[in-house]
Amino acid sequence: MANIRQLQVNSGPVTQCAQCPVREHALFQGVPLEQLQWTQHYREDQYRVDAKTRLFSEGDEHPYVYTLFTGWMMISKSLANGKRQILRFLLPGDFVGFQLQLHGKMTYSVHALTDCQLCAFPRADLDKMLNENAALATRMAMLNARDMAFCQQVLLATGQKNAMERMASLLLQLFIRVKTLRGLVKDSDENSIELPLSQEQIADALGMTKEHVNRTLREFRDAEILDVRSKRLRVMDEARLTEIAELDAKALAEQALL
Amino acid sequence: MANIRQLQVNSGPVTQCAQCPVREHALFQGVPLEQLQWTQHYREDQYRVDAKTRLFSEGDEHPYVYTLFTGWMMISKSLANGKRQILRFLLPGDFVGFQLQLHGKMTYSVHALTDCQLCAFPRADLDKMLNENAALATRMAMLNARDMAFCQQVLLATGQKNAMERMASLLLQLFIRVKTLRGLVKDSDENSIELPLSQEQIADALGMTKEHVNRTLREFRDAEILDVRSKRLRVMDEARLTEIAELDAKALAEQALL
DNA sequence: CGCCTTCTTGAGATGACTCAATGGTGGTGG
DNA sequence: CCACCACCATTGAGTCATCTCAAGAAGGCG
C-alpha cells in the first residue's frame, strides 16, 4: 500500500533502445514481416517509467497495452484489508495489459520495480489489429497460454508446496528466465543474477510473511544452496534447488524463450 | 490418485445433444457464420466420457482439444508426493486443452466429475484454423484471457485469504456461473445448484485438507450462510457470502457469459 | 552524516494440519 | 429387498508450520 506512488510517464517517444535485449515487440515476434507492413499506421509509442512508480492500478480504465523492453515490473491484486498478492514479475519481452474486458477496468495493478522502458499500443488499435491479422491474434493467444501455464505453476506451488519449496520455485524460475534472456545480451557471472526485489515483495508473491521469507532465505544460505543479498541472487547448488522446487528446468527455459 | 481410472472414450459421433445448454462450440461463439463456412472440412467429433474417468493426464501427448458440452470436469496438477492442486472446474461451454506447447506434453490433467459430452478438435487442425482466421484466433485469445483472470483470482485467494474466505470465493463463483448458464436452460430452484464435488476435491482446489473443509463448511452451515449436502449447494445468505468472498458478483456473471 | 527503509532475530500465538476413530450413504449383487 | 462394502463425511485431540508482535541492526540515499 505504502509504496504506491504517483504515476510518472514521461511522454514523448524514445527513438532508440540501445541496451534493450528484446528488440522486437513481443506481439510481433515470429510474425512474417510482410504481414506487418499494414500495421505501420497504428500508433506505437515508447515510454519510460521510473522505479517504484505505478503504471496503472486495479480498477483503472487504462487506454494502453504494453510490451516491456527493459527493466522489471510486477503485476498484483489486493484485498480490502491491504493484503497483496503479486501475480507475476515481468521481464523484458513480456506483454502487459491484455484482458477480457479490453475496454473495461483493469483487473490488476502494474508497478515498476526498476526504471523501465516500454512500448505502448492503444487498446482500440489492438482490438482492430487482432481482428484483421490472424498471425498476430494467434501469437496473442500463445503469449496468453504461456502466462497461463506460469500462473498455474504458481497456483500449484502456493496451494500445495511449503515455504522452502515455494521459494525455490520462484527463485529458480526467475534465475532461468534471466539467464535465458541473457543469452541475447552476453554477461559474465554464470551463477548469479540481478534480483531487484525486497523480501516483502518476495513474500507477497509467495503468500507468506516477510519475516518467514527472511528465515527461509537464511535456511537456503545455511544449506549453501543459494544466497540472496544486496539485490542479487547467487545460486550455489542449482541441482539441489531444482530438486526442491520440483520444476522442469528445460520446460522453464522453453517458456522463457517465447 | 485413487480415483484415476481407465479412459473410456466411446468413439462415434454423437449427432444430437438435446440436453446441452451450450449449442455452439465455444470457440465459434460470436464469430460470424460466413467466416465459418470454410471450417467445415476440419474434423470435429463428439465424445462421451464417464464420470470419474480421465480425459488425459499431465505429461500425455494428447492429440485433441475440446469444448465441454455437458457435465462437470476438473483440471489439476500434481506433485511427486501425491499432493494435487485442482486448477479449475470446467462447466458447459468451457474450452480445454489449449496450451503453449500445442503439440507437446500436456501440462495438466483433466478428469470428468460427472458423465460428460464434449466436442473434440484435432490439435493440428486448430493450429491451422487459428492462423487462417483472425476472428477465431482473437476469440481464442479472449477465452484464454478469461481463464487467466480466473486463475489470478484463485491465486489471490490461495495466497492471501483464510479458509473461510477462500471457500466463500470458490462456492460463490460456482454458484453464479451455474446460475448464469441456467439462464439458457430454465430451472426451478433459485438459491441452490447441483455441486458434484467431494469435500476432498474442494480441499484440493483450495489448498487445504479435507478435514478443514469439513469444519469450514460446518461453520457456514451454523452461520446459516450456506449448506453443502448430498452434492448440492444451497445459499441462504448470498449477500453475506459475497461480502466474505470479497468478489465482484457482477464481474463474475460477465465472465460466465463469455 | 543522519534518516528511513529494509533486514534480522526472538518469543509467543494460532490457524490449519495430522492422525485416528466413528458414523453415514449410495451402489451392487445375492 | 436387504445386506454388505466402499467411499465419503464428521468429529476430536494433539502438533506444527507459519504468523504476529516487537525490537534492534544494517544498508542506502539525500
Side-chain angles (χ1 to χ4, degrees), chain A:
Chain A
M1 309 225 71
N3 52 7
I4 295 180
R5 300 185 200 157
Q6 264 298 302
L7 171 65
Q8 295 180 14
V9 173
N10 310 322
S11 58
V14 172
T15 47
Q16 281 273 355
C17 184
Q19 67 281 52
C20 170
V22 179
R23 277 159 192 293
E24 271 182 296
H25 188 109
L27 189 54
F28 297 152
Q29 277 176 43
V31 177
L33 255 186
E34 68 273 16
Q35 289 187 41
L36 290 177
Q37 292 309 326
W38 61 272
T39 65
Q40 294 305 320
H41 64 278
Y42 287 113
R43 250 191 310 149
E44 176 182 344
D45 294 313
Q46 293 191 37
Y47 291 99
R48 292 170 188 282
V49 179
D50 291 345
K52 300 192 188 182
T53 60
R54 174 181 59 196
L55 184 60
F56 57 79
S57 292
E58 215 173 327
D60 287 0
E61 307 238 352
H62 192 81
Y64 294 95
V65 295
Y66 303 90
T67 293
L68 181 56
F69 274 177
T70 60
W72 288 58
M73 303 188 95
M74 66 178 190
I75 301 184
S76 64
K77 271 171 97 80
S78 294
L79 294 174
N81 62 13
K83 288 186 180 176
R84 172 182 71 170
Q85 177 71 34
I86 295 179
L87 301 169
R88 194 151 77 91
F89 295 108
L90 298 171
L91 263 58
D94 278 341
F95 195 84
V96 218
F98 185 74
Q99 62 171 28
L100 179 56
Q101 305 88 336
L102 244 195
H103 300 286
K105 299 184 171 178
M106 300 308 299
T107 62
Y108 48 74
S109 308
V110 175
H111 292 252
L113 295 168
T114 65
D115 292 348
C116 291
Q117 292 178 42
L118 16 88
C119 176
F121 268 99
R123 269 165 196 290
D125 287 3
L126 179 69
D127 205 7
K128 251 200 297 177
M129 279 170 60
L130 292 180
N131 275 293
E132 286 170 0
N133 187 315
L136 222 57
T138 302
R139 170 119 187 116
M140 187 77 247
M142 288 304 189
L143 284 175
N144 259 300
R146 193 254 312 243
D147 296 348
M148 187 74 200
F150 174 66
C151 189
Q152 292 178 340
Q153 243 173 48
V154 175
L155 186 54
L156 171 65
T158 307
Q160 308 298 334
K161 293 180 183 175
N162 65 25
M164 209 146 185
E165 295 163 344
R166 256 181 288 170
M167 186 119 130
S169 305
L170 173 67
L171 295 180
L172 180 61
Q173 203 259 350
L174 290 173
F175 185 66
I176 291 178
R177 275 201 76 194
V178 172
K179 289 219 304 182
T180 306
L181 282 180
R182 195 185 280 171
L184 313 167
V185 169
K186 266 301 168 219
D187 186 303
S188 48
D189 193 345
E190 264 307 306
N191 68 344
S192 95
I193 63 165
E194 189 205 352
L195 190 79
L197 310 178
S198 70
Q199 292 183 357
E200 184 164 16
Q201 285 160 348
I202 295 176
D204 286 350
L206 297 176
M208 49 204 257
T209 59
K210 54 185 188 297
E211 292 90 342
H212 204 237
V213 163
N214 186 287
R215 287 185 253 263
T216 307
L217 281 174
R218 186 132 121 59
E219 274 191 85
F220 274 115
R221 196 179 317 131
D222 290 351
E224 298 186 311
I225 294 171
L226 58 81
D227 188 5
V228 172
R229 159 174 319 184
S230 55
K231 306 293 175 220
R232 203 151 188 91
L233 160 65
R234 235 172 299 274
V235 174
M236 280 96 99
D237 190 343
E238 188 169 346
R240 186 95 190 78
L241 184 62
T242 308
E243 196 182 318
I244 295 174
E246 199 173 319
L247 286 178
D248 180 355
K250 212 174 55 191
L252 289 181
E254 262 174 53
Q255 275 183 19
L257 272 180
L258 183 74

Side-chain angles (χ1 to χ4, degrees), chain B residues 227-239:
Chain B
D227 188 5
V228 173
R229 160 173 319 182
S230 56
K231 305 294 175 220
R232 198 150 193 92
L233 160 63
R234 236 171 299 275
V235 175
M236 280 97 97
D237 191 342
E238 188 169 346

Side-chain angles (χ1 to χ4, degrees), chain B residues 79-95:
Chain B
L79 295 174
N81 62 13
K83 288 186 181 175
R84 171 181 72 169
Q85 177 72 33
I86 295 179
L87 301 170
R88 193 149 79 89
F89 295 108
L90 298 172
L91 263 56
D94 278 341
F95 195 84

